[in-house]
Amino acid sequence: MENLGPLSEDGLVRLLNHQGEVLQDQTFSPYAAHLTPEKLREFWHDMSVLRAWDMEAMSLQRQGELGLWVQSYGQEAAQIGSGHALRDPDFVFPSYREHGVAMTRGVDLPSILRIFRGLEHGSWVPAEHGFHLYTLVIGAHALHATGYAMGMDRDGLVASGDADKDGAVVCYFGDGATSQGDIAESMTFASVNKAPVVFFCQNNQFAISESVTRQTNIPLADRAKGWGMPSIRVDGNDVIACHAVTQWALEHARSGNGPVFIEALTYRMGAHTTSDDPTRYRTKADEEYWSERDPIDRLTTYLEGADELPDEFREAVAAEGKALGARTRESVRGWSKPATLEMFDHVYAEPHSTVQAERAWFERYEQSFADVEASN
Amino acid sequence: MSDALINATGTTTMTMAGAINAGLRAAMERDPKVLLMGEDIGALGGVFRVTDGLHKDFGDDRVIDTPLAESGIVGTAIGLGMRGYRSVCEIQFEGFIFPAYNQITTQLAKMHYRSQGNITLPLVIRVPYAGGIGAIEHHSESPEALFAHTPGLRIFSPATPQDAYDGIQQAIAAPDPVMFFEPKARYWDKGEVNTGTVETRLSDAAATIGISGSRVAREGTDVTLVAYGPTVRLALQSAELAAQAGTSVEVIDLRSISPLDSDAVVKSAKKTGRVVVTHEAVTTFGVAAEVSARVTEQAFFHLHAPVLRVGGFHTPYPGATFEHEYLPNLDRVLDAVDRVMKH
C-alpha cells in the first residue's frame, strides 16, 4: 500500500498481526491479558457464526426474500471485539451495519431481518438489550448517544464509586459519517459536558463508492485532537486489539474522564449493500490485499498455532452457523404481512385526530371491498 | 416576574413572555426531569428573557447553556429523552431552526413509530417566530407548516398569555414531541392568567386536550375568520371593524396546528357559510390551504363563497421596511371579508 494519509498504518495499535503473531503494546496489552484461549474461542465462535448468518441473509436477499441486505462481512473483529468489552450498564448506539455488536448484546439475529423485509423499522426493544435501534441517517445517532450519556451522568451512573455500576455509551459509525456535522456537534457536546461516550469509528474505507480519501486527508483519529479527547487508532481486523482498546476507552469514560475516539481501520469486504457494485470503484488487487488480512483467518491461524482450535469445536461452530441459517430462512419465509391498519399505529403516543380520522376512513374504505365481495 | 400583578379575582396580569416563564418554572418545580436547553438561556435569560431567573434558581444542570449548534441541542435532547428527561429546547429564532430540521423530522418525529411505541420522546421545542418587530433576515419568519407536514410532531402556537402559560405546561407534560411556536411580536402583550387551572388539566387522563383544541375567540354569524398565534389579535381587530360596518365575524383561534381542530372550523363554516383564514406564513402550501381543503371537503354545500387566504407572499421575508405590506394587515383581512360577503 502506498502512503495514503488516512489509510496509513501510523500509530495503529495491533496485538495480533495477520500472520497470527502476538505483538506487545505497553498501554493496551494489559487490557488483553485476561483473554484466555477459551475467551478467544468465544470470539472466534461469534465471528464465525456472524459471518455464516450474514451470508445466509445475503442469499435470502438474492432469492427475493429481503428487499435489501447490509453485510457486516469483514468487520467482524471490530464489532465482536468491541462488543465483548461492553457490560450491562453500558448502552450502544449503532449505525446500521453493527449486526455483530447486536449479537453480543443478545439481539436475536434473525429478528434484524424484519427491518429488511419491510415489516417494520425497528425490531427489538432497545432498553432490553442496551442497544438502540439502527439509525439510517448517517451520524444523526451520535447526538442521541451523547445526550444519553449526559443522562447517565446525571443519573449517577458514571464515576459512582462502584465500578460495577458505572456505565458508558458506545456510538458506532463509519468513515463517511465523520464528514457529517452531527458527528462534529456530538464531539463538541460530549467534550464540554465530559459525557461518557466512546466514539467508535469503523473506518471500512468506503462510503458506498467513495474512498475515505474523499472524507479526510489525515487519519480520522487525529480529528479528535481538536476536541481535546484521547484517540486511538486500532487495527480493526485484530479482534484482540479491538477488544483491548475498547476496554481501555470504556474504563476511561465510565470513570468520568469524558469521551474517547477510536478509529478501527478495517475493510468492507462486501458491497455497501446488495444494491451496490464495488467492481465499479475498487480493484481486485485491493480486495485480495485485504482478504489476506481477514479478521477471522488471523485468529484461526493464532489458535491453530497454539493448538487451541480443536476439530470438534470447529465442527460444532459450523453446525451452529448452519442451524442458525436454517432458522433464519424459516423465520423469514414465515413472516406474513401484518394487518394493513397497523401502519397507523404508534405515530403518536396519544391519539391525534388526523391519524384517527385517516385510519377510520381507510378502514371503511377497505371494508367497502369486503362488502362488495360479500354481496356478489 | 416583575410585571406580574395578582388581582383580587385570583388571576395575575402577565405578558406572554412572563406567562411562558411562569409556566416553565411551574413545570420545573413539578418534575425534576424537566431540563431547559438552548443558547444564551442561562445567565442572560434568553435573548427575549423568557427564561429569566430560571438559571439562578435551578442551576447549570437544569438550565443548560448549550454549544451554539441547533442540531446538537435537539439531538442531545433526544438522547436525554431516552433516559426519561423532558428537555425544553429553545431555538433562539425560527430562522435558525434549519440546522436542527434533520433531527426534528427524521429522528424526533419518527422515533415513537420506529420503535413501535417503545420509545417516547416528550420533548418541547420552543420557537420564537413570526414578524412585525423590524428585525433583520431570519428573525421574522413563520416555518410552522414545514413541521405540520411531518407526522409525529404536535404543533402549538399560543395567542394569549393564558394559553402560553397553560400550553407550555401541557406541552411539557405530553408524551409526544411538541413544537411550541411563540409569536415574538406578542411577547409583551399583557393579559390575565389564571394560574390555578392548568394543574387540574394536567392530572386529567386527556392531558393534551388543552393543546389540541381551538377556541372561539369571538362569536359571529356572517364570516368565520380563522387565525392562530400572531394573527389572532389582528383577526379580533378586524372583527371589531367589520362589526362597525354591519358584518358579524366569528374568530377562531386554532391554537393547535397539528392536530388541526377542523371540526370546530367546519362547524363554524356550516353556520356562517363563509371562511377566511389568515396567517403570517407564506400562503402557498400553508396551514390556510389545509384549513381550506378540509372546509371544502366537509362543508362544501354550506359555503356561499370560496374560502379565502390572507398570508405572507411567496417571497423570502422582505426587509423590515416592507413588512407592514408583506404581512396580513387590517386592510387585507377586511378586503377578504368584503369579498366573501359579496357572494
Side-chain angles (χ1 to χ4, degrees), chain B residues 262-276:
Chain B
S262 45
D263 287 354
V265 181
V266 166
K267 188 177 157 206
S268 179
K270 286 181 176 172
K271 180 173 78 174
T272 62
R274 298 176 178 88
V275 179
V276 174

Side-chain angles (χ1 to χ4, degrees), chain A residues 254-270:
Chain A
R254 290 175 191 138
S255 319
N257 299 310
V260 180
F261 188 100
I262 295 173
E263 178 198 355
L265 180 61
T266 179
Y267 186 79
R268 194 192 71 206
M269 292 175 78

Side-chain angles (χ1 to χ4, degrees), chain A residues 91 93 120-126 132-135 137 139-141 143-148 150-152 154-155 157 182 185 188-189 192-193 342-354, chain B residues 33 35 60-61 64 66-67 69-73 75-76 78-80 82-83 85 102-103 106-107 109 111-120 150-154 175-176 205 208 258-260 294:
Chain A
F91 206 94
F93 284 79
E120 58 207 27
H121 297 320
S123 50
W124 57 91
V125 181
H132 187 55
L133 300 173
Y134 284 169
T135 298
V137 177
H141 61 300
L143 285 166
H144 312 161
T146 302
Y148 193 92
M150 289 163 64
M152 288 179 85
R154 276 175 167 67
D155 292 340
L157 297 175
D182 278 356
E185 291 189 21
T188 299
F189 275 70
V192 301
N193 289 295
E342 283 185 23
M343 75 180 163
F344 294 99
D345 291 348
H346 306 303
V347 184
Y348 293 89
E350 292 203 329
H352 184 283
S353 58
T354 304
Chain B
K33 292 278 194 180
L35 309 176
D60 287 338
D61 279 350
I64 305 167
T66 64
E70 290 78 10
S71 184
I73 295 169
T76 52
I78 289 171
L80 281 157
M82 290 176 59
R83 282 207 68 84
Y85 288 92
N102 170 48
Q103 284 290 339
T106 75
Q107 304 302 314
M111 198 71 84
H112 191 262
Y113 193 77
R114 183 182 302 150
S115 69
Q116 299 173 74
N118 286 309
I119 299 172
T120 52
T150 303
L153 301 174
R154 291 177 187 272
D176 289 310
T208 56
S258 178
L260 185 66
R294 294 198 191 189

Side-chain angles (χ1 to χ4, degrees), chain A residues 335-373:
Chain A
W335 290 327
S336 52
K337 186 181 174 228
T340 309
L341 282 173
E342 283 185 23
M343 75 180 163
F344 294 99
D345 291 348
H346 306 303
V347 184
Y348 293 89
E350 292 203 329
H352 184 283
S353 58
T354 304
V355 180
Q356 286 178 304
E358 291 183 348
R359 185 187 190 283
W361 177 86
F362 190 74
E363 192 172 13
R364 287 196 304 275
Y365 173 75
E366 293 264 277
Q367 187 57 42
S368 69
F369 295 104
D371 293 345
V372 170
E373 268 172 40

Side-chain angles (χ1 to χ4, degrees), chain B residues 88-121:
Chain B
V88 183
C89 304
E90 176 176 305
I91 301 295
Q92 199 159 70
F93 287 89
E94 78 293 325
F96 306 139
I97 200 167
F98 297 100
Y101 191 71
N102 170 48
Q103 284 290 339
I104 295 169
T105 56
T106 75
Q107 304 302 314
L108 180 61
K110 294 180 170 72
M111 198 71 84
H112 191 262
Y113 193 77
R114 183 182 302 150
S115 69
Q116 299 173 74
N118 286 309
I119 299 172
T120 52
L121 293 175

Side-chain angles (χ1 to χ4, degrees), chain B residues 268-330:
Chain B
S268 179
K270 286 181 176 172
K271 180 173 78 174
T272 62
R274 298 176 178 88
V275 179
V276 174
V277 193
T278 182
H279 55 54
E280 289 195 10
V282 171
T283 307
T284 45
F285 303 96
V287 174
E290 180 66 21
V291 171
S292 173
R294 294 198 191 189
V295 168
T296 308
E297 284 167 6
Q298 295 171 50
F300 185 73
F301 294 107
H302 297 266
L303 294 178
H304 306 308
V307 178
L308 294 187
R309 297 170 289 166
V310 183
F313 297 111
H314 200 76
T315 69
Y317 199 93
T321 55
F322 298 95
E323 71 182 340
H324 181 69
E325 289 76 25
Y326 173 82
L327 292 173
N329 56 29
L330 283 170

Side-chain angles (χ1 to χ4, degrees), chain A residues 37-171:
Chain A
E38 193 186 357
K39 189 74 191 167
L40 291 176
R41 270 196 299 276
E42 192 184 339
F43 288 179
W44 191 88
H45 163 275
D46 285 5
M47 292 197 290
S48 305
V49 171
L50 172 66
R51 184 170 292 183
W53 175 78
D54 188 359
M55 295 303 167
E56 180 62 39
M58 186 76 184
S59 307
L60 285 166
Q61 196 280 339
R62 291 299 185 224
Q63 291 158 23
E65 299 287 350
L66 302 176
L68 184 80
W69 181 234
V70 184
Q71 289 197 288
S72 49
Y73 181 30
Q75 296 175 221
E76 292 89 351
Q79 297 185 10
I80 298 297
S82 62
H84 273 276
L86 292 156
R87 304 186 314 200
D88 268 355
D90 301 320
F91 206 94
V92 173
F93 284 79
S95 178
Y96 49 72
R97 202 186 291 282
E98 281 70 42
H99 318 312
V101 187
M103 188 184 184
T104 66
R105 301 302 279 171
V107 174
D108 186 45
L109 288 175
S111 77
I112 295 174
L113 302 185
R114 294 182 63 83
I115 299 169
F116 296 92
R117 197 169 162 88
L119 297 168
E120 58 207 27
H121 297 320
S123 50
W124 57 91
V125 181
E128 284 176 7
H129 301 283
F131 188 79
H132 187 55
L133 300 173
Y134 284 169
T135 298
L136 275 55
V137 177
I138 302 298
H141 61 300
L143 285 166
H144 312 161
T146 302
Y148 193 92
M150 289 163 64
M152 288 179 85
D153 190 18
R154 276 175 167 67
D155 292 340
L157 297 175
V158 181
S160 67
D162 175 359
D164 290 340
K165 210 178 114 193
D166 293 342
V169 170
V170 182
C171 178

Side-chain angles (χ1 to χ4, degrees), chain A residues 188-203:
Chain A
T188 299
F189 275 70
S191 56
V192 301
N193 289 295
K194 269 199 160 187
V197 189
V198 176
F199 293 100
F200 195 103
C201 174
Q202 292 174 83
N203 175 2

